[in-house]
Amino acid sequence: MRYGHFDDEHGEYVITRPDTPLPWINYLGTDAYFGIVSNTAGGYSWYQDARLRRITRYRYNNVPADAGGRYIYLRDNGSGEYWSPSWQPTRCDLDEYECRHGLSYTKIASARLGIRAQTLYFVPLGETLEVWRLRVRNERSRPADLSVFSSAEFCLWDAQDDGTNFQRNYSTGEVEVADGVIYHKTEYRERRNHFAYFACSEPLAGFDTQRDAFLGPYRGWDRPLAVERGESAQSIAHGWAPHGSHHVRLPLGPGQTREVIFLLGYWENPQDRKFDPPGSGIINKALAGPVIDRWLRSATVADGFARLQESWAAIRSVMQVSTPDNDTNRMVNIWNPYQCMVTFNMSRSVSMFESGISRGVGFRDSCQDLLGFVHMAPGLARTRILDLAATQLASGGAYHQYQPLTKRGNDTIGSGFNDDPLWLITGVAAYLKETGDTTILDELVPYADSGTSPVQLYEHLERSFRYTMDRLGPHGLPLIGRADWNDCLNLNCFSSTPGESFQTTANVTGGQAESVFIAGLFVLAAKELAGIADLRGRTDDGCRYRAEADKMAAAVTEHGWDGRWFRRAYDYYGQAVGSAENPEGQIFIEPQGMCVMSGIGLTNGMAAKALASVGERLATSHGIMLLQPAYTRYYLELGEISSYPPGYKENGSIFCHVNPWVMIAETMIGDGDAAFGYYMRINPSAREEISDVHRCEPYVYAQMIAGKDAPSHGEAKNSWLTGTAAWNFVAITQWILGIRPELDGLRIDPVLPSAWPGFTASRRFRGATYEITVRDPAHVSGRGARLLVDGRQIQGTLLPLAGAGETVQVEVILGPEHSGPGH
Ligand code: GLC
Ligand code: GLC
């Protein structure tokens, strides 16, 4: 069952009924001012940091989950009836309803009682404000006497404190109202130099700034007193809950349309120009004023929206494909890159599953997000890499997370996740492959914990490598520390106290738990680092890295192989994890994907065997499960993984982040059908038809889909912010379609599903545009391709670098036995 449909031409998902199984959300903002918005206008906004600079309020674990938002109420003053054109919060029946989620904007349109309304929500490029552009049309044959009420509830900035510290916060709230603009200025009198504003393009019939005056006692957003009575209270908030609401009278003749623009914005004044007059406590509006005036104009808004769309069109044009499969096309061309941009911007902080107050920017998460993002905005990727490297420790280890506002490592979670530093190498490698910009390696970056002078980024990579080398266990495999990629495999934790955090509780020392997964990642990273060393002319380093990679691969072959698949780990006591020896958790997905991706087992048959075991034991029609059999009880020595009921999260769900590793691995053994088959099982667009089962948005990947041990097998959770976005983009574009940036240039090496006759693609790479046509006339699918560049056959599959601005025609014919190029 579906709740809407894709509009590929406009790059939108169109939701056609408001009661989706869960709020289906979108993100606003591209740069510093961000928000989430649901298909019924729920959601909230923040500036840069969802925890420390929250602009509007969200109530955690609310019902419905997206309650509170960017609400507009329409009131028919003739009858006194009122409703929400976004359905929520009044949930009055609508004659028509449609929500269009597009790239960084959302339009919600509806009709009721002959009144049509459409609201466009977006954040203009480079601005710290959001626009709500409301258009109301009277489709009745007689005049309509309407009122419009807006509503936004302010958050007192620090979202954590706002949600907990009521004894203080009920007394601190302050606002100003001047020239129809509502200013939220809590704590501006003292140390803050920022405020929020809520402005309206039309003359006001009234306003409210105290939430409870607007709502009335014992009322929720569905029945605000001001709306019911058709009149605002002109309330000024002193403490309690600062809120913004405008009341606009909107008489409309038959057929008449009018536009009302609301702006919700954030502004920082220079410390010495906070007040006007100086020392008065009154906000100096001289700097924000012109911005507000400009964006309240219809033409500015129309132009700003056009520029946002152009910017997305430009970003999307970096890579466009046309394959025989429409679910692939729309994900690769529209939604997957968009989700990659969102995950890059948000890391794991804000969604319907992340509160914005617990996690900042994840180290390993961001390094992986880069893989799917770097081609779209290499400059931002560069900055992120340097920020991440600055949270690395002198030991080579890394803070697991940092706060985006302060860019400082988060002490609560600390470090000790032993895979973290290796991802920095893979992230930097992805940046270099895309851009060829080796100057990044010379950038001087400090370590977070030492007073010593900054060192070159290259040195950070060397320390990342050494961090693993310095921490090897009895089998020569890397020690796992708190956890590796799998946050929940906590082999040194031994927690028996309810509620204790598996990630931050002091580890038990003396054990020697090792990770086969980190070993695979190490091999991959060491090879990447060797390539980087070669680029720098450090061939000795390169040889050393390769030698260590080989040694580690040998250790995996010797101690990490279980007979039919790669083991997962050795626990504190040296017992195998992810082995046929174990009663539960016999096989894990991560080492199968990662070891094969790193090249282990490709020549001795282990890779093919491991992948066959994945197919037999872990694959379901909804995707590949993380492990089997799922743990049915709590294992003290395994940690959080066994705390989840079977089939959920790390305990045997289809953890979508790691599915693409298997897809990539399948292409490495030349099985395009297997790779693409797995791709389609979790492709959200391909799951649209089962939206009632899947339940999350059909336009973005979710972190997990319940595994076969769960009663709700097939149900997705944790949509949007997941490494799944980047890795699926890499799997489909770089490995299945085979358009793969490497340090030396762009390689074209597809491994297609055998039914495909081919595909075409356009890819901008280091300034040139490659127009690629791939044909598989003999349906050979597997590896081996002949390339013609502007009609001339080249050796191998690596394209010669074209000059900036050039357009190059590339013809690719798959299959070694084919008669020849051009036929
Ligand atoms: C979450 C985390 C990620 C981790 C994964 C597996 O997605 O954000 O860092 O690797 O879970 O535990
Ligand atoms: C990862 C896991 C999640 C876990 C969290 C913190 O995000 O996906 O299951 O709760 O790490 O432990």
Side-chain angles (χ1 to χ4, degrees), residues 82 212-217 219-220 223-231:
Y82 62 91
D212 290 348
F214 175 71
L215 292 181
R219 284 164 177 256
R223 257 174 5 114
L225 186 59
V227 180
E228 186 175 290
R229 114 186 129 208
E231 213 180 317

Side-chain angles (χ1 to χ4, degrees), residues 17-20 23 38-42 62-69 71-74 81-97 110-112 219-224:
R17 47 184 289 181
D19 55 339
T20 46
S38 75
N39 58 309
T40 61
N62 210 341
V63 278
D66 62 338
Y71 292 146
I72 286 170
Y73 300 86
L74 292 179
E81 278 190 78
Y82 62 91
W83 69 96
S84 305
S86 55
W87 191 58
Q88 290 212 78
T90 66
R91 289 190 289 276
C92 297
D93 286 342
L94 298 169
D95 302 327
E96 288 174 40
Y97 161 90
S110 65
R112 180 178 153 89
R219 284 164 177 256
W221 302 113
D222 57 333
R223 257 174 5 114

Side-chain angles (χ1 to χ4, degrees), residues 192-255:
R192 294 189 186 273
N193 67 338
H194 46 266
F195 56 87
Y197 57 83
F198 193 29
C200 173
S201 62
E202 302 307 299
L204 301 189
F207 64 85
D208 273 298
T209 69
Q210 180 60 275
R211 185 196 64 213
D212 290 348
F214 175 71
L215 292 181
Y218 294 95
R219 284 164 177 256
W221 302 113
D222 57 333
R223 257 174 5 114
L225 186 59
V227 180
E228 186 175 290
R229 114 186 129 208
E231 213 180 317
S232 306
Q234 274 66 259
S235 57
I236 295 292
H238 299 286
W240 295 112
H243 173 258
S245 174
H246 310 93
H247 174 201
V248 174
R249 293 297 289 253
L250 209 65
L252 287 179

Side-chain angles (χ1 to χ4, degrees), residues 318-319 370-376 378 426-437 524 528 532 535 664 726-727 729-750 762-768 770 772 783 797-799 801:
V318 175
M319 176 157 200
L370 275 166
L371 304 175
F373 168 80
V374 60
H375 66 292
M376 296 189 276
T426 59
V428 171
Y431 175 80
L432 292 170
K433 290 173 184 179
E434 182 64 36
T435 63
D437 167 27
L524 186 82
E528 299 281 28
I532 294 171
L535 272 187
I664 295 170
W727 277 109
F729 189 77
V730 169
I732 184 70
T733 62
Q734 299 190 14
W735 295 91
I736 297 175
L737 303 181
I739 303 172
R740 188 159 69 244
E742 293 188 354
L743 292 175
D744 301 331
L746 193 61
R747 188 177 297 284
I748 316 288
D749 183 19
S762 165
R763 176 68 153 90
R764 257 199 328 274
F765 180 75
R766 302 196 195 172
Y770 299 86
I772 304 162
R783 289 188 123 162
T797 53
L798 190 68
L799 294 177
L801 279 176

Side-chain angles (χ1 to χ4, degrees), residues 545-820:
Y545 299 142
R546 286 193 181 88
E548 293 299 344
D550 289 347
K551 228 161 101 188
M552 187 67 78
V556 170
T557 310
E558 191 175 344
H559 302 291
W561 183 247
D562 198 59
R564 280 170 296 166
W565 55 80
F566 294 102
R567 292 183 169 172
R568 181 60 178 84
Y570 286 95
D571 71 11
Y572 183 90
Y573 307 107
Q575 302 296 314
V577 178
S579 158
E581 289 169 11
N582 306 123
E584 302 186 320
Q586 294 178 334
I587 173 171
F588 281 65
I589 189 174
E590 305 100 305
Q592 322 314 327
M594 184 51 77
C595 291
V596 179
M597 284 203 297
S598 76
I600 300 174
L602 283 176
T603 50
N604 62 11
M606 284 181 178
K609 230 185 223 173
L611 293 174
S613 297
V614 168
E616 283 156 27
R617 292 170 177 254
L618 297 177
T620 75
S621 60
H622 293 289
I624 312 168
M625 294 177 290
L626 191 143
L627 61 82
Q628 274 295 298
Y631 296 109
T632 55
R633 63 171 181 85
Y634 178 58
Y635 291 78
L636 187 65
E637 70 281 15
L638 298 180
E640 185 171 3
I641 192 161
S642 60
S643 75
Y644 284 113
Y648 292 110
K649 296 286 277 184
E650 279 83 347
N651 189 14
S653 82
I654 292 142
F655 212 94
C656 296
H657 182 143
V658 281
N659 276 229
W661 297 353
V662 174
M663 298 168 203
I664 295 170
E666 290 287 0
T667 67
M668 295 184 73
I669 64 165
D671 194 339
D673 286 321
F676 188 71
Y678 290 139
Y679 174 74
M680 290 304 283
R681 293 182 207 192
I682 62 167
N683 178 313
S685 162
R687 298 174 61 79
E688 186 194 18
E689 287 297 340
I690 53 161
S691 286
D692 47 333
V693 176
H694 184 81
R695 299 187 79 229
C696 281
E697 297 91 335
Y699 39 93
V700 288
Y701 288 96
Q703 180 203 50
M704 64 156 276
I705 297 172
K708 80 167 171 52
D709 304 286
S712 57
H713 183 34
E715 181 190 30
K717 284 187 193 138
N718 209 353
S719 55
W720 282 99
L721 304 183
T722 159
T724 312
W727 277 109
N728 271 288
F729 189 77
V730 169
I732 184 70
T733 62
Q734 299 190 14
W735 295 91
I736 297 175
L737 303 181
I739 303 172
R740 188 159 69 244
E742 293 188 354
L743 292 175
D744 301 331
L746 193 61
R747 188 177 297 284
I748 316 288
D749 183 19
V751 182
L752 302 182
S754 53
W756 283 15
F759 70 93
T760 61
S762 165
R763 176 68 153 90
R764 257 199 328 274
F765 180 75
R766 302 196 195 172
T769 301
Y770 299 86
E771 298 293 348
I772 304 162
T773 304
V774 175
R775 289 186 296 123
D776 186 7
H779 297 281
V780 295
S781 145
R783 289 188 123 162
R786 223 176 284 262
L787 266 67
L788 284 108
V789 175
D790 285 333
R792 304 225 333 258
Q793 183 162 348
I794 60 162
Q795 284 292 317
T797 53
L798 190 68
L799 294 177
L801 279 176
E806 284 179 33
T807 297
V808 179
Q809 302 295 328
V810 181
E811 243 194 295
V812 182
I813 300 103
L814 299 191
E817 80 283 13
H818 193 260
S819 55

Side-chain angles (χ1 to χ4, degrees), residues 114-288:
I115 304 298
R116 186 170 294 280
Q118 188 208 58
T119 314
L120 164 69
Y121 297 99
F122 76 101
V123 175
L125 295 175
E127 302 290 345
T128 58
L129 58 88
E130 63 187 67
V131 174
W132 312 359
R133 184 186 68 190
L134 170 71
R135 284 182 176 156
V136 187
R137 179 177 168 80
N138 175 11
E139 296 184 339
R140 301 173 181 167
S141 52
R142 52 186 199 289
D145 174 17
L146 302 178
S147 275
V148 176
F149 290 85
S150 64
S151 167
E153 187 185 14
F154 295 110
C155 178
L156 308 190
W157 304 119
D158 179 331
Q160 170 89 47
D161 187 74
D162 180 74
T164 47
N165 195 5
F166 308 124
Q167 59 79 27
R168 169 179 163 85
N169 295 339
Y170 287 168
S171 293
T172 56
E174 288 191 300
V175 298
E176 283 178 35
V177 181
D179 299 328
V181 181
I182 294 164
Y183 295 87
H184 171 233
K185 59 172 212 175
T186 299
E187 293 184 350
Y188 190 75
R189 57 166 49 247
E190 28 113 357
R191 290 156 298 174
R192 294 189 186 273
N193 67 338
H194 46 266
F195 56 87
Y197 57 83
F198 193 29
C200 173
S201 62
E202 302 307 299
L204 301 189
F207 64 85
D208 273 298
T209 69
Q210 180 60 275
R211 185 196 64 213
D212 290 348
F214 175 71
L215 292 181
Y218 294 95
R219 284 164 177 256
W221 302 113
D222 57 333
R223 257 174 5 114
L225 186 59
V227 180
E228 186 175 290
R229 114 186 129 208
E231 213 180 317
S232 306
Q234 274 66 259
S235 57
I236 295 292
H238 299 286
W240 295 112
H243 173 258
S245 174
H246 310 93
H247 174 201
V248 174
R249 293 297 289 253
L250 209 65
L252 287 179
Q256 193 188 353
T257 301
R258 277 180 62 186
E259 191 174 281
V260 183
I261 297 164
F262 297 100
L263 299 180
L264 181 61
Y266 170 92
W267 193 265
E268 279 177 12
N269 269 341
Q271 203 60 33
D272 58 346
R273 295 185 64 187
K274 276 174 65 170
F275 303 114
D276 180 26
S280 66
I282 299 169
I283 292 176
N284 174 7
K285 304 169 184 82
L287 300 170

